[in-house]
Amino acid sequence: MDSVTNYRYQHTMVFTYYPDTSFLEYLVTPDGAEHSYGPDLMAMLNDGKVFVVNSRRRNGLILFKRYHAEFAGPGAAVGGDYDRDCVGALAIGSLSLLTPETHDERQKSYLIRRQWIRLIKQITENPIATQRVQKILDQFEQYFPPELVSRLPDEAFAHLVGVLPQTAAIVRRLGSHVDSKYNY
């Protein structure tokens, strides 16, 4: 009898604390309109061609992989073999993708993509989940308008820094005061 109760409890915990991540199916730009690239964006990323996020605009892509997300900011390469495992993408700002015209432009864009990955890696090395969320929020608010960042889904930030979406929601609601209330 106890094992049956324990099994039900575990199943409920998983259902309660690991929500359905089907939010990728209805991603829209923060202004409420669908991507200008629409479903073509995923086709472009999975096609094998390399693009560069326009470095003259404040824009970028959150690229959702199976178990995490990566941010490709201005100047970063996207697509090619690097993003064939993408399951979703969220455009931030007015997304503009360019095609690198020379080998040097392509190499530079790969180096910039690596820098963006290193920035996120530095944030995720913090063992305290709430501090990771606060740091990624601070980074995004430094670069993008705060009203745009406030409209991005909690799931996007959670996937970027390896926390549950509920943790991201709590930090966004309570701000920098979260560590004094939830010290874990």
Side-chain angles (χ1 to χ4, degrees):
M1 183 77 158
D2 289 334
S3 64
V4 171
T5 306
N6 190 24
Y7 175 75
R8 286 185 194 154
Y9 178 71
Q10 288 176 348
H11 180 71
T12 304
M13 291 296 287
V14 170
F15 180 75
T16 303
Y17 290 106
Y18 194 87
D20 182 18
T21 56
S22 63
F23 73 96
L24 293 174
E25 296 172 5
Y26 59 88
L27 287 179
V28 293
T29 54
D31 62 2
E34 290 189 16
H35 293 275
S36 58
Y37 293 96
D40 296 336
L41 178 60
M42 286 306 300
M44 288 170 59
L45 292 174
N46 293 323
D47 192 30
K49 291 179 70 177
V50 175
F51 299 94
V52 177
V53 177
N54 191 341
S55 61
R56 296 177 187 242
R57 292 187 184 181
R58 288 187 182 244
N59 66 141
L61 275 172
I62 296 178
L63 301 162
F64 295 93
K65 308 292 178 114
R66 185 168 177 167
Y67 298 108
H68 72 285
E70 297 175 7
F71 178 69
V78 295
D81 289 335
Y82 206 64
D83 293 318
R84 283 192 190 266
D85 59 343
C86 235
V87 295
L90 175 61
I92 302 174
S94 179
L95 181 64
S96 172
L97 297 177
L98 308 172
T99 304
E101 295 182 13
T102 66
H103 176 73
D104 289 339
E105 285 180 9
R106 180 182 278 218
Q107 291 301 316
K108 182 180 176 185
S109 67
Y110 279 123
L111 290 173
I112 293 172
R113 172 77 179 265
R114 211 166 76 186
Q115 288 175 337
W116 285 109
I117 290 171
R118 283 184 180 158
L119 173 67
I120 302 297
K121 180 184 177 288
Q122 287 175 343
I123 294 170
T124 59
E125 288 175 343
N126 187 331
I128 301 171
T130 55
Q131 290 178 3
R132 291 196 309 262
V133 174
Q134 188 61 57
K135 184 67 174 171
I136 194 71
L137 288 170
D138 292 344
Q139 290 292 322
F140 268 71
E141 287 177 353
Q142 282 180 7
Y143 195 73
F144 297 107
E147 59 275 0
L148 185 134
V149 175
S150 70
R151 292 185 295 228
L152 294 174
D154 295 332
E155 290 87 352
F157 293 112
H159 278 75
L160 282 169
V161 295
V163 301
L164 293 171
Q166 294 86 342
T167 304
I170 289 169
V171 172
R172 291 176 93 177
R173 191 171 43 248
L174 299 178
S176 61
H177 305 293
V178 73
D179 284 333
S180 61
K181 294 181 188 266
Y182 299 98
N183 191 10
Y184 36 16

